[in-house]
């Protein structure tokens, strides 16, 4: 087996899933978070999408029997604490998440990365609403993120292929949950041109939704 290549396993995942990440970044459920008109209901909806995806990805991790150090249990507890009860019990759409060792790691990469990106969104929200957005976008320890990146960069080609599949399925899960929320809440869909206007925080968020690893 050979190493994942000169660019590193983490960068390989970032590049491979960039189209899916961009699609989610501009999804109506997520794009509204950067608008001055953002509401508490929209924040709760976006947080519920993250909760639904993280639940399923943590189940896949547990089924793999691997990566206890990257468990999402604490993250899920903080999301539960911040959300109203009726948003905590949604059923995720059927998406086959891989439970092999590196497929599960790819899914974890998406959630850990999106949690880092969400801290930038939370800072933006503070400028528009008189609320503390932290309960809706709980942070993940930077030490854990660094260890995850180191693990990704140590992958072989074969392991990286499996991780890409896991990350891709995780993004698909995110999208299907967000699509369901869009239909349920009748969220407006902005024109394509408006969605693709540069946002102030875009440059700081990498293609996993994560702040560049410190």
């Amino acid at each position: 087996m050979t190493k994942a290549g000169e660019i590193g396993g983490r960068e390989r995942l970032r590049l491979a899933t960039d189209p899916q990440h961009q699609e989610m970044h501009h999804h109506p459920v997520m794009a509204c978070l950067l608008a001055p008109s953002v509401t508490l209901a929209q924040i709760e909806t976006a947080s519920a999408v993250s909760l639904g995806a993280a639940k399923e990805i943590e189940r896949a991790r547990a089924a793999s029997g691997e990566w206890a150090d990257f468990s999402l249990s604490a993250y899920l507890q903080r999301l539960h604490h911040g959300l109203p009860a009726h948003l905590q019990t949604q059923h995720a759409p059927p998406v086959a998440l891989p439970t092999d060792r590196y497929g599960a790691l790819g899914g974890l990469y998406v959630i850990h990365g999106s949690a880092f990106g969400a801290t930038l969104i939370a800072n933006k929200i503070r400028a528009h609403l008189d609320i503390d957005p932290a309960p809706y976008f709980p942070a993940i320890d930077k030490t854990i993120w660094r260890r995850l990146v180191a693990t990704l960069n140590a992958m072989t080609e074969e392991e990286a292929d499996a991780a890409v599949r896991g990350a891709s399925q995780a993004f698909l899960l995110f999208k299907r949950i967000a699509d369901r929320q869009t239909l349920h809440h009748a969220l407006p869909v902005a024109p394509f041109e408006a969605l693709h206007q540069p946002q102030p925080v875009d440059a700081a968020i990498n293609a996993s939704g994560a702040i560049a690893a410190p």
Side-chain angles (χ1 to χ4, degrees), residues 10 14 113 116-117 120 142 145 149 203-214:
R10 185 268 183 116
R14 189 189 73 80
F116 269 115
L120 292 178
K142 288 184 179 180
W145 174 250
V149 169
I205 303 177
N206 74 9
S208 70
I211 299 172

Side-chain angles (χ1 to χ4, degrees), residues 79-111:
L79 276 176
H80 270 289
H81 184 72
L83 282 172
H86 72 280
L87 290 174
Q88 297 180 12
T89 56
Q90 62 179 327
H91 299 289
V95 173
L97 295 174
T99 57
D100 59 281
R101 178 175 171 82
Y102 285 93
L105 185 66
L108 292 167
Y109 158 79
V110 172
I111 296 294

